[in-house]
Amino acid sequence: MTQLFPGPDELALHASQQPVFADWQRGYGPIRHSMQTVAAVYRMAHQVVQAGLQPDVGSVYRQLHALDRLASAGLWMVVHMTYAQRVRLDGTPLQAEDFKVTPEGHTGGALNMVPAYAGYLALNQLTGETRGWLMGQGHCVAAIEALNLLTGNQHPEQAKCYPRSEAGMSRMAADFYSYAQNASGQVDAPLGSHVNPHTAGGIAEGGYLGFAELQYAHLPLPGEKLVAFLSDGAAEEQRGSDWIPRWWRAEDCGVALPVMIANGRRIEQRTELGTPAGLAGFREHLQHCGFDPMSFDGRDPAAFVCALWEMEQRLGHRVDEYKNGLLNYPLPIPYGIAETTKGFGFYGDGSNAAHNLPLPGNPHLDDTARALFNQHAAQLWVSPNELEQACDCFADRGNRPLERDNPLALRRPTAPVIPELHFRSETCSPMSALDRFFVDLVQANPQLRPRVGNPDELASNRLGSVLKALKHRVNTPESELEAIDGAVITALNEEAVVSACLANQGGLNLVASYEAFCVKMLGAVRQRIIFARQQKEVGRPAGWLGWPLVATSHTWENGKNQQSHQDTTFCEALLGEMSDMVRVLFPADHNSVLASLPEIYGARGQLACMVIAKRERPCVFDAEQAQQLVRDGALVLAERGGDDPVLLIACGSYQLGEMQRAAVRLTEADCAWRLVYLQEPGRFRSPRDQWEEEVVANADLVARLFPEAYARRVLLSHMRPEVARGHLWPLLGQESRVLGYLNRGGTLDEAGMLFANRSSWAHVLVACAELLNRPLRDFLSEAERAAVEGRGEPRCLR
């Protein structure tokens, strides 16, 4: 075995014996190798050889020699992508016409990511293993795209547009932030400002800083490895990331290697980690949270290789110690801290300007800025022969898959076995359908890792069987509902728990929360469905299994907790997303919940928002009707023939009950009516593109459910009426009224909430009277009229 820390004399002797080691030590361009990194490389090289991964240490050093040149070329390419519309591989200075009229790019962060991603690529080469990668700071994508081009790691459409040639590299530079559109209005180039489905190996956009911190530990399955590049700003502010050691288990998690790029700056100001005291305090904080932090030179790609290698070895040793009874969970999770300066390698590094456009002016117009660009780009330039040799070294992967094809990027678990459905007829909680189904689903599919995201109380939300079967994941169980290997991820942080399920793309998932609290999940959920939609559009649809985000303890039955707990924003916001990517359903009873679940869990790359009552509700639909609701999105529940009929449309469990009661009064007043239950409003919208057109109801179905003869229509919605009307305008026509949540609430019961929001059965009849041009007394008694007009006692309507 080699020494853990070889001294200067030993390193000097080794350099005399290994000329390629001595050559590498000299660095290249702005890349310099500290003695700490040199010692780490020496140690790693011997370990890699001892592990049988490389034939000799010289082979390791030759790879690292190429790595320096690859990284320098990557830095060179990144600054060209920001400022230039062409490159010159011969190093000739660029002229004014070679620069973009309007430069753009998150230059500083992308420059910092070049040595990081290059180091990741080199580790894969040295070990013959293709790891996955995740980048929280998705705006640094120029680094990824540049290095993917140089190493031949591209999807076909990028390989066609951006070959490794002066023309291909020039086109990539010109296309970056070109804003060019195709005839359909979409981005014309297979390139984006953030990680996108054209980015080889990309699995998340990284548009919102902080979500990668919450997701990385839940992404890899056993046997897989993931390198997660994280932001120092997000790391010091996204507290949910501190809990990763609480969730990681060797039995059901793959190797996750977090590396924070500590460049010390947010967009406009220094981070706390940008000070020596702040960084030292952060390392201490990480240790308290159960991490094993290690700092290294974030300016040196070889330091990334050594750090990632060392992190893997440390985690492997910890797992062995756990299996041998020497350690208990939580295990110390290695955490890399890459210390660097924002925009390292180019003019303006370490300044606020480095974030975006580091030069003091536009090189297209400004002679000084142009001279500075050429001066500093020249320091990064790699001669064509050296560049070709370095790129070939990385492009020769042997039989190893491209990073593009890492296991996390190709995730497609086996289709789940759907358990038997148990329909019911008695009054019961609609949540009980989900409670039994998910337990049965997990038991029927032991090959699929389950995750339940829980930000409040599963028992309160009527998921007691789920909790009993899967248990809270904890380090020290204190009850029969807790276990070290529990599958329920519980934290008073909605972003953290939904991220556990968004990241579990190889398994079965369920998130349930109070409807009002679901709003905090929106950013993370939206990132996932947007990325999946883009994957579909480029012809590589996401393969992960669908699952429901359940909004329960919802607005209409959560009056005991004040108006802060009464909010319909979540379903409204998701209804604004593309209906082929996220379905928004309002199942009204046990059977309609149950019938929806097989299709939801059988989908690929699609989420579902289910708004479900947790209190006992009558079973309105039999099994056949419930399954028809799944197929069609709506059904005719009842009707009374006659002239001048009113079409009653209910959307929501409590809304259906009110409509049924209103229908009784209409019958008593000799009015014709039809009652339609609308379970999936997104099926009846006006489609916004060809993908959405495939999932909306066809004209024949709409005509059967909502005939033109029913010109007068009343919609009673779970949502705000303005939102419902906006989405469902094709159904409503000219003579319609829409009722729903009016932002009124407080400490009220269900009937009180309905009355406060003018959504009770009596208010439905007020709308009907207006549409029919009949006096309200035809439908309501004097006391009831006084109540709805604000003159009497609401209790008479109960």
PDB file of all heavy atoms in Angstrom, residues 714-747:
ATOM      1  N   VAL A 714     -74.733  26.057 -14.954  1.00  0.00           N
ATOM      2  CA  VAL A 714     -74.203  26.489 -13.666  1.00  0.00           C
ATOM      3  C   VAL A 714     -73.084  25.523 -13.277  1.00  0.00           C
ATOM      4  O   VAL A 714     -73.313  24.315 -13.185  1.00  0.00           O
ATOM      5  CB  VAL A 714     -75.284  26.517 -12.570  1.00  0.00           C
ATOM      6  CG1 VAL A 714     -74.667  26.961 -11.237  1.00  0.00           C
ATOM      7  CG2 VAL A 714     -76.433  27.441 -12.965  1.00  0.00           C
ATOM      8  N   LEU A 715     -71.898  26.068 -13.077  1.00  0.00           N
ATOM      9  CA  LEU A 715     -70.754  25.270 -12.641  1.00  0.00           C
ATOM     10  C   LEU A 715     -70.457  25.611 -11.190  1.00  0.00           C
ATOM     11  O   LEU A 715     -70.258  26.780 -10.846  1.00  0.00           O
ATOM     12  CB  LEU A 715     -69.535  25.573 -13.514  1.00  0.00           C
ATOM     13  CG  LEU A 715     -68.178  25.046 -13.015  1.00  0.00           C
ATOM     14  CD1 LEU A 715     -68.166  23.525 -12.936  1.00  0.00           C
ATOM     15  CD2 LEU A 715     -67.049  25.544 -13.913  1.00  0.00           C
ATOM     16  N   LEU A 716     -70.424  24.594 -10.339  1.00  0.00           N
ATOM     17  CA  LEU A 716     -70.018  24.767  -8.945  1.00  0.00           C
ATOM     18  C   LEU A 716     -68.687  24.039  -8.789  1.00  0.00           C
ATOM     19  O   LEU A 716     -68.611  22.815  -8.898  1.00  0.00           O
ATOM     20  CB  LEU A 716     -71.058  24.181  -7.999  1.00  0.00           C
ATOM     21  CG  LEU A 716     -70.723  24.255  -6.499  1.00  0.00           C
ATOM     22  CD1 LEU A 716     -70.435  25.674  -6.054  1.00  0.00           C
ATOM     23  CD2 LEU A 716     -71.862  23.641  -5.667  1.00  0.00           C
ATOM     24  N   SER A 717     -67.631  24.803  -8.540  1.00  0.00           N
ATOM     25  CA  SER A 717     -66.278  24.273  -8.591  1.00  0.00           C
ATOM     26  C   SER A 717     -65.607  24.307  -7.234  1.00  0.00           C
ATOM     27  O   SER A 717     -65.848  25.202  -6.417  1.00  0.00           O
ATOM     28  CB  SER A 717     -65.448  25.091  -9.593  1.00  0.00           C
ATOM     29  OG  SER A 717     -64.077  24.775  -9.510  1.00  0.00           O
ATOM     30  N   HIS A 718     -64.717  23.327  -7.014  1.00  0.00           N
ATOM     31  CA  HIS A 718     -63.830  23.347  -5.854  1.00  0.00           C
ATOM     32  C   HIS A 718     -62.908  24.556  -5.905  1.00  0.00           C
ATOM     33  O   HIS A 718     -62.509  25.093  -4.866  1.00  0.00           O
ATOM     34  CB  HIS A 718     -62.993  22.064  -5.852  1.00  0.00           C
ATOM     35  CG  HIS A 718     -61.955  22.000  -4.783  1.00  0.00           C
ATOM     36  ND1 HIS A 718     -62.148  21.356  -3.593  1.00  0.00           N
ATOM     37  CD2 HIS A 718     -60.690  22.504  -4.731  1.00  0.00           C
ATOM     38  CE1 HIS A 718     -61.063  21.462  -2.846  1.00  0.00           C
ATOM     39  NE2 HIS A 718     -60.157  22.151  -3.511  1.00  0.00           N
ATOM     40  N   MET A 719     -62.592  25.001  -7.108  1.00  0.00           N
ATOM     41  CA  MET A 719     -61.605  26.059  -7.313  1.00  0.00           C
ATOM     42  C   MET A 719     -62.242  27.440  -7.229  1.00  0.00           C
ATOM     43  O   MET A 719     -63.449  27.595  -7.072  1.00  0.00           O
ATOM     44  CB  MET A 719     -60.954  25.896  -8.688  1.00  0.00           C
ATOM     45  CG  MET A 719     -60.225  24.589  -8.882  1.00  0.00           C
ATOM     46  SD  MET A 719     -59.585  24.421 -10.571  1.00  0.00           S
ATOM     47  CE  MET A 719     -61.096  24.079 -11.473  1.00  0.00           C
ATOM     48  N   ARG A 720     -61.394  28.444  -7.389  1.00  0.00           N
ATOM     49  CA  ARG A 720     -61.887  29.805  -7.539  1.00  0.00           C
ATOM     50  C   ARG A 720     -62.677  29.886  -8.843  1.00  0.00           C
ATOM     51  O   ARG A 720     -62.255  29.352  -9.870  1.00  0.00           O
ATOM     52  CB  ARG A 720     -60.719  30.792  -7.553  1.00  0.00           C
ATOM     53  CG  ARG A 720     -59.999  30.895  -6.213  1.00  0.00           C
ATOM     54  CD  ARG A 720     -58.792  31.830  -6.311  1.00  0.00           C
ATOM     55  NE  ARG A 720     -58.150  32.027  -5.011  1.00  0.00           N
ATOM     56  CZ  ARG A 720     -57.190  31.268  -4.497  1.00  0.00           C
ATOM     57  NH1 ARG A 720     -56.764  30.208  -5.198  1.00  0.00           N
ATOM     58  NH2 ARG A 720     -56.677  31.534  -3.319  1.00  0.00           N
ATOM     59  N   PRO A 721     -63.802  30.572  -8.843  1.00  0.00           N
ATOM     60  CA  PRO A 721     -64.646  30.575 -10.049  1.00  0.00           C
ATOM     61  C   PRO A 721     -63.975  31.203 -11.258  1.00  0.00           C
ATOM     62  O   PRO A 721     -64.186  30.768 -12.391  1.00  0.00           O
ATOM     63  CB  PRO A 721     -65.885  31.370  -9.608  1.00  0.00           C
ATOM     64  CG  PRO A 721     -65.482  32.109  -8.381  1.00  0.00           C
ATOM     65  CD  PRO A 721     -64.433  31.286  -7.719  1.00  0.00           C
ATOM     66  N   GLU A 722     -63.153  32.242 -11.028  1.00  0.00           N
ATOM     67  CA  GLU A 722     -62.492  32.879 -12.160  1.00  0.00           C
ATOM     68  C   GLU A 722     -61.534  31.913 -12.853  1.00  0.00           C
ATOM     69  O   GLU A 722     -61.427  31.903 -14.083  1.00  0.00           O
ATOM     70  CB  GLU A 722     -61.718  34.114 -11.683  1.00  0.00           C
ATOM     71  CG  GLU A 722     -62.578  35.192 -11.042  1.00  0.00           C
ATOM     72  CD  GLU A 722     -62.807  34.958  -9.559  1.00  0.00           C
ATOM     73  OE1 GLU A 722     -62.395  33.894  -9.049  1.00  0.00           O
ATOM     74  OE2 GLU A 722     -63.393  35.837  -8.913  1.00  0.00           O
ATOM     75  N   VAL A 723     -60.833  31.106 -12.051  1.00  0.00           N
ATOM     76  CA  VAL A 723     -59.902  30.134 -12.626  1.00  0.00           C
ATOM     77  C   VAL A 723     -60.668  29.056 -13.388  1.00  0.00           C
ATOM     78  O   VAL A 723     -60.312  28.681 -14.507  1.00  0.00           O
ATOM     79  CB  VAL A 723     -59.036  29.503 -11.524  1.00  0.00           C
ATOM     80  CG1 VAL A 723     -58.136  28.410 -12.098  1.00  0.00           C
ATOM     81  CG2 VAL A 723     -58.196  30.578 -10.834  1.00  0.00           C
ATOM     82  N   ALA A 724     -61.738  28.559 -12.764  1.00  0.00           N
ATOM     83  CA  ALA A 724     -62.534  27.519 -13.418  1.00  0.00           C
ATOM     84  C   ALA A 724     -63.126  28.023 -14.734  1.00  0.00           C
ATOM     85  O   ALA A 724     -63.096  27.324 -15.753  1.00  0.00           O
ATOM     86  CB  ALA A 724     -63.639  27.055 -12.477  1.00  0.00           C
ATOM     87  N   ARG A 725     -63.645  29.238 -14.725  1.00  0.00           N
ATOM     88  CA  ARG A 725     -64.234  29.781 -15.951  1.00  0.00           C
ATOM     89  C   ARG A 725     -63.161  29.948 -17.032  1.00  0.00           C
ATOM     90  O   ARG A 725     -63.400  29.660 -18.210  1.00  0.00           O
ATOM     91  CB  ARG A 725     -64.903  31.130 -15.665  1.00  0.00           C
ATOM     92  CG  ARG A 725     -65.537  31.760 -16.903  1.00  0.00           C
ATOM     93  CD  ARG A 725     -66.194  33.096 -16.595  1.00  0.00           C
ATOM     94  NE  ARG A 725     -67.432  32.942 -15.859  1.00  0.00           N
ATOM     95  CZ  ARG A 725     -68.611  32.637 -16.411  1.00  0.00           C
ATOM     96  NH1 ARG A 725     -68.693  32.416 -17.708  1.00  0.00           N
ATOM     97  NH2 ARG A 725     -69.686  32.540 -15.671  1.00  0.00           N
ATOM     98  N   GLY A 726     -61.977  30.389 -16.619  1.00  0.00           N
ATOM     99  CA  GLY A 726     -60.921  30.589 -17.604  1.00  0.00           C
ATOM    100  C   GLY A 726     -60.528  29.312 -18.306  1.00  0.00           C
ATOM    101  O   GLY A 726     -60.299  29.308 -19.524  1.00  0.00           O
ATOM    102  N   HIS A 727     -60.438  28.211 -17.581  1.00  0.00           N
ATOM    103  CA  HIS A 727     -60.047  26.943 -18.194  1.00  0.00           C
ATOM    104  C   HIS A 727     -61.200  26.282 -18.944  1.00  0.00           C
ATOM    105  O   HIS A 727     -60.973  25.594 -19.946  1.00  0.00           O
ATOM    106  CB  HIS A 727     -59.528  25.990 -17.120  1.00  0.00           C
ATOM    107  CG  HIS A 727     -58.187  26.358 -16.572  1.00  0.00           C
ATOM    108  ND1 HIS A 727     -57.041  26.349 -17.335  1.00  0.00           N
ATOM    109  CD2 HIS A 727     -57.801  26.754 -15.330  1.00  0.00           C
ATOM    110  CE1 HIS A 727     -56.006  26.731 -16.599  1.00  0.00           C
ATOM    111  NE2 HIS A 727     -56.443  26.984 -15.385  1.00  0.00           N
ATOM    112  N   LEU A 728     -62.415  26.475 -18.459  1.00  0.00           N
ATOM    113  CA  LEU A 728     -63.551  25.710 -18.986  1.00  0.00           C
ATOM    114  C   LEU A 728     -64.478  26.542 -19.855  1.00  0.00           C
ATOM    115  O   LEU A 728     -65.638  26.168 -20.070  1.00  0.00           O
ATOM    116  CB  LEU A 728     -64.338  25.098 -17.815  1.00  0.00           C
ATOM    117  CG  LEU A 728     -63.564  24.042 -17.023  1.00  0.00           C
ATOM    118  CD1 LEU A 728     -64.318  23.644 -15.764  1.00  0.00           C
ATOM    119  CD2 LEU A 728     -63.292  22.820 -17.880  1.00  0.00           C
ATOM    120  N   TRP A 729     -63.966  27.625 -20.394  1.00  0.00           N
ATOM    121  CA  TRP A 729     -64.839  28.462 -21.219  1.00  0.00           C
ATOM    122  C   TRP A 729     -65.491  27.703 -22.378  1.00  0.00           C
ATOM    123  O   TRP A 729     -66.633  28.028 -22.753  1.00  0.00           O
ATOM    124  CB  TRP A 729     -64.074  29.689 -21.736  1.00  0.00           C
ATOM    125  CG  TRP A 729     -62.936  29.391 -22.673  1.00  0.00           C
ATOM    126  CD1 TRP A 729     -61.634  29.255 -22.364  1.00  0.00           C
ATOM    127  CD2 TRP A 729     -63.023  29.191 -24.086  1.00  0.00           C
ATOM    128  NE1 TRP A 729     -60.879  28.986 -23.476  1.00  0.00           N
ATOM    129  CE2 TRP A 729     -61.702  28.944 -24.556  1.00  0.00           C
ATOM    130  CE3 TRP A 729     -64.081  29.205 -25.011  1.00  0.00           C
ATOM    131  CZ2 TRP A 729     -61.415  28.699 -25.898  1.00  0.00           C
ATOM    132  CZ3 TRP A 729     -63.790  28.954 -26.348  1.00  0.00           C
ATOM    133  CH2 TRP A 729     -62.475  28.709 -26.786  1.00  0.00           C
ATOM    134  N   PRO A 730     -64.848  26.662 -22.965  1.00  0.00           N
ATOM    135  CA  PRO A 730     -65.545  25.970 -24.056  1.00  0.00           C
ATOM    136  C   PRO A 730     -66.845  25.291 -23.613  1.00  0.00           C
ATOM    137  O   PRO A 730     -67.704  25.013 -24.453  1.00  0.00           O
ATOM    138  CB  PRO A 730     -64.518  24.923 -24.522  1.00  0.00           C
ATOM    139  CG  PRO A 730     -63.198  25.481 -24.119  1.00  0.00           C
ATOM    140  CD  PRO A 730     -63.468  26.145 -22.810  1.00  0.00           C
ATOM    141  N   LEU A 731     -66.978  25.014 -22.311  1.00  0.00           N
ATOM    142  CA  LEU A 731     -68.171  24.329 -21.820  1.00  0.00           C
ATOM    143  C   LEU A 731     -69.269  25.275 -21.381  1.00  0.00           C
ATOM    144  O   LEU A 731     -70.410  24.838 -21.186  1.00  0.00           O
ATOM    145  CB  LEU A 731     -67.818  23.437 -20.613  1.00  0.00           C
ATOM    146  CG  LEU A 731     -66.880  22.256 -20.835  1.00  0.00           C
ATOM    147  CD1 LEU A 731     -66.761  21.453 -19.553  1.00  0.00           C
ATOM    148  CD2 LEU A 731     -67.360  21.384 -21.977  1.00  0.00           C
ATOM    149  N   LEU A 732     -68.967  26.540 -21.201  1.00  0.00           N
ATOM    150  CA  LEU A 732     -69.878  27.391 -20.443  1.00  0.00           C
ATOM    151  C   LEU A 732     -70.816  28.231 -21.294  1.00  0.00           C
ATOM    152  O   LEU A 732     -71.910  28.565 -20.846  1.00  0.00           O
ATOM    153  CB  LEU A 732     -69.079  28.290 -19.500  1.00  0.00           C
ATOM    154  CG  LEU A 732     -68.299  27.521 -18.425  1.00  0.00           C
ATOM    155  CD1 LEU A 732     -67.427  28.453 -17.607  1.00  0.00           C
ATOM    156  CD2 LEU A 732     -69.252  26.746 -17.518  1.00  0.00           C
ATOM    157  N   GLY A 733     -70.429  28.573 -22.489  1.00  0.00           N
ATOM    158  CA  GLY A 733     -71.327  29.333 -23.348  1.00  0.00           C
ATOM    159  C   GLY A 733     -71.618  30.731 -22.811  1.00  0.00           C
ATOM    160  O   GLY A 733     -70.934  31.255 -21.932  1.00  0.00           O
ATOM    161  N   GLN A 734     -72.680  31.333 -23.358  1.00  0.00           N
ATOM    162  CA  GLN A 734     -73.015  32.725 -23.020  1.00  0.00           C
ATOM    163  C   GLN A 734     -73.870  32.842 -21.768  1.00  0.00           C
ATOM    164  O   GLN A 734     -73.784  33.836 -21.041  1.00  0.00           O
ATOM    165  CB  GLN A 734     -73.756  33.365 -24.203  1.00  0.00           C
ATOM    166  CG  GLN A 734     -72.929  33.434 -25.484  1.00  0.00           C
ATOM    167  CD  GLN A 734     -71.678  34.267 -25.324  1.00  0.00           C
ATOM    168  OE1 GLN A 734     -71.716  35.365 -24.787  1.00  0.00           O
ATOM    169  NE2 GLN A 734     -70.553  33.732 -25.809  1.00  0.00           N
ATOM    170  N   GLU A 735     -74.706  31.841 -21.509  1.00  0.00           N
ATOM    171  CA  GLU A 735     -75.618  31.926 -20.361  1.00  0.00           C
ATOM    172  C   GLU A 735     -75.116  30.976 -19.271  1.00  0.00           C
ATOM    173  O   GLU A 735     -75.496  29.806 -19.230  1.00  0.00           O
ATOM    174  CB  GLU A 735     -77.040  31.548 -20.769  1.00  0.00           C
ATOM    175  CG  GLU A 735     -77.661  32.504 -21.772  1.00  0.00           C
ATOM    176  CD  GLU A 735     -79.110  32.128 -22.064  1.00  0.00           C
ATOM    177  OE1 GLU A 735     -80.000  32.538 -21.300  1.00  0.00           O
ATOM    178  OE2 GLU A 735     -79.336  31.404 -23.050  1.00  0.00           O
ATOM    179  N   SER A 736     -74.260  31.479 -18.428  1.00  0.00           N
ATOM    180  CA  SER A 736     -73.683  30.597 -17.414  1.00  0.00           C
ATOM    181  C   SER A 736     -73.361  31.380 -16.158  1.00  0.00           C
ATOM    182  O   SER A 736     -73.213  32.606 -16.168  1.00  0.00           O
ATOM    183  CB  SER A 736     -72.412  29.922 -17.941  1.00  0.00           C
ATOM    184  OG  SER A 736     -71.433  30.895 -18.247  1.00  0.00           O
ATOM    185  N   ARG A 737     -73.268  30.626 -15.087  1.00  0.00           N
ATOM    186  CA  ARG A 737     -72.805  31.147 -13.807  1.00  0.00           C
ATOM    187  C   ARG A 737     -71.772  30.163 -13.268  1.00  0.00           C
ATOM    188  O   ARG A 737     -71.927  28.935 -13.394  1.00  0.00           O
ATOM    189  CB  ARG A 737     -73.946  31.289 -12.795  1.00  0.00           C
ATOM    190  CG  ARG A 737     -75.053  32.245 -13.206  1.00  0.00           C
ATOM    191  CD  ARG A 737     -74.583  33.694 -13.143  1.00  0.00           C
ATOM    192  NE  ARG A 737     -75.683  34.629 -13.403  1.00  0.00           N
ATOM    193  CZ  ARG A 737     -76.074  35.012 -14.609  1.00  0.00           C
ATOM    194  NH1 ARG A 737     -75.448  34.541 -15.699  1.00  0.00           N
ATOM    195  NH2 ARG A 737     -77.064  35.863 -14.756  1.00  0.00           N
ATOM    196  N   VAL A 738     -70.712  30.690 -12.671  1.00  0.00           N
ATOM    197  CA  VAL A 738     -69.682  29.838 -12.082  1.00  0.00           C
ATOM    198  C   VAL A 738     -69.517  30.226 -10.623  1.00  0.00           C
ATOM    199  O   VAL A 738     -69.316  31.405 -10.297  1.00  0.00           O
ATOM    200  CB  VAL A 738     -68.332  29.976 -12.825  1.00  0.00           C
ATOM    201  CG1 VAL A 738     -67.298  29.034 -12.214  1.00  0.00           C
ATOM    202  CG2 VAL A 738     -68.500  29.678 -14.317  1.00  0.00           C
ATOM    203  N   LEU A 739     -69.621  29.235  -9.762  1.00  0.00           N
ATOM    204  CA  LEU A 739     -69.476  29.441  -8.325  1.00  0.00           C
ATOM    205  C   LEU A 739     -68.268  28.657  -7.836  1.00  0.00           C
ATOM    206  O   LEU A 739     -67.903  27.626  -8.395  1.00  0.00           O
ATOM    207  CB  LEU A 739     -70.728  28.963  -7.582  1.00  0.00           C
ATOM    208  CG  LEU A 739     -72.088  29.416  -8.132  1.00  0.00           C
ATOM    209  CD1 LEU A 739     -73.208  28.818  -7.302  1.00  0.00           C
ATOM    210  CD2 LEU A 739     -72.176  30.925  -8.171  1.00  0.00           C
ATOM    211  N   GLY A 740     -67.669  29.137  -6.756  1.00  0.00           N
ATOM    212  CA  GLY A 740     -66.514  28.435  -6.201  1.00  0.00           C
ATOM    213  C   GLY A 740     -65.893  29.213  -5.053  1.00  0.00           C
ATOM    214  O   GLY A 740     -66.540  30.077  -4.441  1.00  0.00           O
ATOM    215  N   TYR A 741     -64.639  28.920  -4.787  1.00  0.00           N
ATOM    216  CA  TYR A 741     -63.951  29.504  -3.636  1.00  0.00           C
ATOM    217  C   TYR A 741     -63.686  30.992  -3.874  1.00  0.00           C
ATOM    218  O   TYR A 741     -63.036  31.374  -4.844  1.00  0.00           O
ATOM    219  CB  TYR A 741     -62.636  28.762  -3.400  1.00  0.00           C
ATOM    220  CG  TYR A 741     -61.841  29.268  -2.232  1.00  0.00           C
ATOM    221  CD1 TYR A 741     -62.394  29.327  -0.958  1.00  0.00           C
ATOM    222  CD2 TYR A 741     -60.527  29.699  -2.405  1.00  0.00           C
ATOM    223  CE1 TYR A 741     -61.658  29.801   0.127  1.00  0.00           C
ATOM    224  CE2 TYR A 741     -59.780  30.163  -1.333  1.00  0.00           C
ATOM    225  CZ  TYR A 741     -60.350  30.213  -0.075  1.00  0.00           C
ATOM    226  OH  TYR A 741     -59.628  30.682   0.989  1.00  0.00           O
ATOM    227  N   LEU A 742     -64.187  31.844  -2.978  1.00  0.00           N
ATOM    228  CA  LEU A 742     -64.092  33.293  -3.115  1.00  0.00           C
ATOM    229  C   LEU A 742     -63.091  33.914  -2.147  1.00  0.00           C
ATOM    230  O   LEU A 742     -63.158  35.102  -1.853  1.00  0.00           O
ATOM    231  CB  LEU A 742     -65.473  33.927  -2.891  1.00  0.00           C
ATOM    232  CG  LEU A 742     -66.590  33.483  -3.831  1.00  0.00           C
ATOM    233  CD1 LEU A 742     -67.906  34.160  -3.450  1.00  0.00           C
ATOM    234  CD2 LEU A 742     -66.239  33.787  -5.280  1.00  0.00           C
ATOM    235  N   ASN A 743     -62.168  33.090  -1.666  1.00  0.00           N
ATOM    236  CA  ASN A 743     -61.193  33.581  -0.680  1.00  0.00           C
ATOM    237  C   ASN A 743     -61.869  34.034   0.607  1.00  0.00           C
ATOM    238  O   ASN A 743     -61.409  34.953   1.276  1.00  0.00           O
ATOM    239  CB  ASN A 743     -60.345  34.728  -1.251  1.00  0.00           C
ATOM    240  CG  ASN A 743     -59.161  34.240  -2.054  1.00  0.00           C
ATOM    241  OD1 ASN A 743     -59.106  33.081  -2.438  1.00  0.00           O
ATOM    242  ND2 ASN A 743     -58.209  35.117  -2.315  1.00  0.00           N
ATOM    243  N   ARG A 744     -62.933  33.356   0.943  1.00  0.00           N
ATOM    244  CA  ARG A 744     -63.610  33.623   2.199  1.00  0.00           C
ATOM    245  C   ARG A 744     -63.456  32.405   3.091  1.00  0.00           C
ATOM    246  O   ARG A 744     -63.516  31.263   2.624  1.00  0.00           O
ATOM    247  CB  ARG A 744     -65.096  33.910   1.994  1.00  0.00           C
ATOM    248  CG  ARG A 744     -65.388  35.036   1.033  1.00  0.00           C
ATOM    249  CD  ARG A 744     -64.911  36.373   1.581  1.00  0.00           C
ATOM    250  NE  ARG A 744     -65.638  36.750   2.786  1.00  0.00           N
ATOM    251  CZ  ARG A 744     -65.331  37.817   3.537  1.00  0.00           C
ATOM    252  NH1 ARG A 744     -64.302  38.570   3.200  1.00  0.00           N
ATOM    253  NH2 ARG A 744     -66.051  38.097   4.603  1.00  0.00           N
ATOM    254  N   GLY A 745     -63.228  32.627   4.375  1.00  0.00           N
ATOM    255  CA  GLY A 745     -63.068  31.478   5.258  1.00  0.00           C
ATOM    256  C   GLY A 745     -62.863  31.894   6.684  1.00  0.00           C
ATOM    257  O   GLY A 745     -63.168  33.014   7.091  1.00  0.00           O
ATOM    258  N   GLY A 746     -62.306  30.986   7.434  1.00  0.00           N
ATOM    259  CA  GLY A 746     -62.096  31.196   8.856  1.00  0.00           C
ATOM    260  C   GLY A 746     -62.395  29.905   9.596  1.00  0.00           C
ATOM    261  O   GLY A 746     -62.362  28.812   9.030  1.00  0.00           O
ATOM    262  N   THR A 747     -62.727  30.024  10.861  1.00  0.00           N
ATOM    263  CA  THR A 747     -63.028  28.847  11.671  1.00  0.00           C
ATOM    264  C   THR A 747     -64.475  28.454  11.421  1.00  0.00           C
ATOM    265  O   THR A 747     -65.392  28.894  12.123  1.00  0.00           O
ATOM    266  CB  THR A 747     -62.768  29.138  13.152  1.00  0.00           C
ATOM    267  OG1 THR A 747     -61.453  29.660  13.295  1.00  0.00           O
ATOM    268  CG2 THR A 747     -62.905  27.871  13.976  1.00  0.00           C
TER     269      THR A 747
END
